[in-house]
Structure formats: structure tokens, C-alpha cells
Amino acid sequence: MSGEEQKYIQEAFDTHWVAPLGPNVDAFEKALEQYEGQGRHVAALSSGTAAVHLGLVLLGVERGDEVICQSWTFAASTNPIVYLGAVPVLVDSESDTWNMSPELLEVAICERMRMTGRRPKAIVAVHMYGMPAKMDEICAIGAKYGIPVLEDAAEAMGSCLDGRNCGTFGAFGVLSFNGNKMITTSGGGALICPTEEMKKKALFYATQAREPFPYYQHERIGYNYRMSNVCAGIGLGQMTVVDEHVAHHRKTAAFYAERFGPVEGIDVHLNPSGRFDSNYWLSTIVIDGKKTGTDSETVRRHLESCNIESRPLWKPMHLQPVYKDAPAYSAGVSEKLYDKGLCLPSGPCVDAEDAERVVKEIMKCVKK
């Protein structure tokens, strides 16, 4: 917390603006628009999942459509596709960014068109762990086949590709302010829109699609997705420390990279080149068991015994039971990452002493 959050929360209570609208919501949206840049317009919502859902609604996804989605992601990227009765088509990652493979994306598009006679309705690209995806290539492929891209930047606030903020490349972008993200509103998210008109349309659907009549009239299905004025107050306070948080995450990743650099068989995932500027939302490592004499699960359990939380990297959606029947295009990259990878403590409360302790405990598992 920055210390500023309580001021805005108190203001919300003092003025009785505690509902899903109010001055904090308006100010938070403006602050996000200024931060993201590119002339984008931002709708503050109840969650990042809601933002993915509304983005797909605005892209016209309907029952029976196919939507291509990165397989190596959290379920919040794929579940909204199913909410709409559409079919997720899962595409594997490539090895340098760990994000959607442009090559497999084009293979999937061509094969789906051949098999179904229709183009997929949308592409959901994700910036995993804050690492920017190759949005120029992904968007170019989407444009080639007339398929819009929804950019899931839930983990990537503060990340840039070629100096441009993630979340501003696709037709729509998504941010998350869940409790574990770069900034938090306790729970919440945002949809980054290309125009003010599209933002208004998003907010229309987010407030139960109520038509502009003096009575309640509904001609389309809407949702209860607006952010509360109280949560937005937390967000305003968090905006004062967002750069500080991003800098801390980058410093922590650099520390892990320096300490594990000499260790054969432990690789910290870093920017592939100068074009990429990850926020390193989570510092992640891949452990080669043949070189270290240990594996990621053994390390995770040892850290747990020391009261240090770590987690396996995401389990790909095409390996999840709920998506076992979804079309999938895999090159085995995400399976290997899931099998060998760990997320390490990375947040603002992790100081240098904490990070050093994490390294020392991991090294106890590595053969000398």
C-alpha cells in the first residue's frame, strides 16, 4: 500500500459514493488512460475476467464461434470464451518469450478455416508473467486473416514492447487489479478500448445493458461488471506507487538472475532482446534436473518446508481436464515449462534479505 489509499476510501464514505460509480471511478479511469497512453480509453470493471468477457462481447463472439487463445495461461483467459458458447482453440507458446507462437497461430488459423469453412472470430494473446508477447507479429497475422486480437495484459501493467505499453496493441486490452497484481484495487480490472465510443459501449454492457429510458428497459443481455467507487479509491492510491512496484519487480528479477547466473541448470527467464521490457510480475526459473541433480517439485517442497511459497509455472489449458476436447496446437514448449519451472517470491514485500534466503535454500537442493 502507498498510504494514500485510505484518503480516497474515506472520501468515498464521506460523500456516500460507495456504489459502482462515482468520482474515484472516473479519476481512476483517467489515471489509467494517461498511464497507458496511445490515446486509449479505459473502462474500470469488477475483474480482469470481466474485461476479457466484455472484450469478446464487443468483438462479436457468439455461440458456435471459434476463438484462438494462448494455451499457456490462467483459466481467466479461456473461460470467458466458453461463457459465450464459443469454442477455444488452444495454441502453444514459443521458447523465447514463452507466449503465443506466431508460427503456430498461423498454422491454427489456416487449419481451422480449412476444417470449419470459417475464420476464427478472435485471437486472445497473453503476456505471461509480464513478458510481452510478439504483438507485432501476432497482430499482423490477425490482420492478414481479418481476425481481431484481444490482448490479455492482466499480468503486464508496466511492461513494454518497443517502448509501447502492453495492452495497447490489440483491438482491446485487459488489465487486472487482483490482490496479487502489479497494483491492486482488492479485486478489479479494466478494459482498454480504442475509442471513447467503444468505452461507452463497454460500460453499457457492464451495467446490465440498461437502455436510456426513465424506466428499466433491456434489449440486450448485460452484466454486473462495474467497479465500485471504494475499490477505485484503492486504485487511485496505488497509481502513486505503480512505477515503484514495477521497479522493485525488475530489481528482484535482476537479483535472481545474478545469483543463479553461475549455476548450471537454473535459468531465470529474462527479456529476449532490447525490444522487450518485462515488468517481471513474477520472477520465474526453469530447472534442468540432469544438470542440477534435482527437479522443480523437489525444490518447491523444500521451499515450502522453510515457509517460502513458490508455485509451478502455469499448467497449459490443453492439459486441463475441462479443456480436454478443445482443439489444440502444441509444440511441447508449455508442457516443458510446466514440468520444469517455478515462480519465486517477487512482490513489493520481498526485500533483498528475503530474496537471498530464497536463493540459499534453492542451492541446498542443487548437487555440488
Side-chain angles (χ1 to χ4, degrees):
M1 295 290 105
S2 70
E4 294 293 311
E5 292 85 359
Q6 192 61 45
K7 176 180 72 175
Y8 295 106
I9 294 170
Q10 189 62 49
E11 197 173 279
F13 278 89
D14 289 344
T15 58
H16 303 286
W17 282 106
V18 296
L21 74 168
N24 284 343
V25 176
D26 296 338
F28 186 43
E29 288 176 341
K30 292 298 181 186
L32 290 168
E33 288 168 359
Q34 184 175 2
Y35 185 85
E36 292 298 321
Q38 303 297 320
R40 297 296 173 114
H41 300 264
V42 176
L45 303 171
S46 58
S47 69
T49 310
V52 174
H53 188 189
L54 284 189
L56 293 173
V57 169
L58 293 173
L59 291 175
V61 174
E62 297 178 341
R63 181 170 300 278
D65 288 333
E66 289 191 340
V67 175
I68 294 182
C69 185
Q70 188 165 308
S71 180
W72 201 52
T73 185
F74 181 51
S77 304
T78 51
N79 286 349
I81 299 170
V82 182
Y83 297 168
L84 293 167
V87 178
V89 176
L90 304 171
V91 171
D92 202 4
S93 300
E94 38 90 25
S95 58
D96 51 358
T97 69
W98 294 2
N99 293 311
M100 182 182 284
S101 164
E103 290 78 12
L104 276 181
L105 169 62
E106 188 156 23
V107 168
I109 291 172
C110 292
E111 183 163 315
R112 301 319 298 172
M113 290 172 64
R114 180 179 60 80
M115 293 181 68
T116 68
R118 297 193 302 162
R119 288 177 298 188
K121 201 63 173 284
I123 298 165
V124 180
V126 188
H127 305 291
M128 288 301 297
Y129 300 115
M131 181 62 68
K134 293 178 179 174
M135 292 306 300
D136 49 351
E137 296 180 38
I138 291 169
C139 288
I141 293 169
K144 178 179 176 180
Y145 295 96
I147 306 171
V149 176
L150 175 63
E151 187 183 356
D152 185 344
E155 301 171 2
M157 188 173 185
S159 297
C160 298
L161 177 66
D162 294 325
R164 179 174 171 179
N165 278 334
C166 292
T168 65
F169 289 86
F172 293 95
V174 169
L175 296 173
S176 172
F177 310 120
N178 193 21
N180 61 359
K181 294 302 191 296
M182 196 56 68
I183 65 169
T184 185
T185 57
S186 78
L191 185 67
I192 302 173
C193 304
T195 64
E196 179 68 23
E197 181 183 358
M198 292 308 296
K199 173 182 173 177
K200 289 179 179 178
K201 196 170 184 180
L203 295 180
F204 166 74
Y205 280 106
T207 50
Q208 298 290 16
R210 180 186 173 187
E211 299 292 342
F213 291 88
Y215 49 88
Y216 288 96
Q217 175 144 320
H218 304 274
E219 299 170 8
R220 283 162 283 190
I221 296 297
Y223 312 93
N224 184 18
Y225 280 168
R226 265 316 236 150
M227 179 180 285
S228 81
N229 200 50
V230 175
C231 289
I234 299 173
L236 279 172
Q238 288 277 283
M239 288 300 291
T240 67
V241 290
V242 59
D243 291 336
E244 180 183 324
H245 285 186
V246 172
H248 172 85
H249 282 252
R250 287 173 174 158
K251 182 179 179 180
T252 302
F255 174 84
Y256 286 134
E258 180 183 5
R259 294 290 277 110
F260 287 125
V263 182
E264 187 178 13
I266 298 181
D267 294 316
V268 178
H269 190 220
L270 299 174
N271 292 317
S273 73
R275 296 183 56 218
F276 299 84
D277 193 10
S278 175
N279 65 7
Y280 294 111
W281 172 61
L282 288 180
S283 294
T284 53
I285 60 173
V286 174
I287 300 172
D288 185 333
K290 293 181 180 178
K291 295 178 180 178
T292 61
T294 189
D295 57 44
S296 60
E297 180 58 13
T298 299
V299 172
R300 188 194 68 79
R301 285 198 295 236
H302 173 70
L303 292 175
E304 187 175 47
S305 74
C306 303
N307 200 30
I308 298 171
E309 184 180 17
S310 64
R311 289 190 184 181
L313 300 186
W314 295 117
K315 184 175 183 178
M317 289 297 106
H318 67 268
L319 298 184
Q320 297 286 356
V322 72
Y323 289 117
K324 61 183 175 61
D325 296 324
Y329 297 81
S330 173
V333 172
S334 56
E335 289 99 320
K336 291 178 183 177
L337 293 171
Y338 168 61
D339 184 55
K340 298 181 178 181
L342 276 183
C343 303
L344 303 182
S346 310
C349 295
V350 178
D351 61 21
E353 184 178 346
D354 294 327
E356 181 63 38
R357 178 169 169 253
V358 172
V359 172
K360 287 182 177 179
E361 293 300 334
I362 291 174
M363 291 306 297
K364 289 179 182 179
C365 300
V366 176
K367 68 180 181 182
K368 302 296 187 284

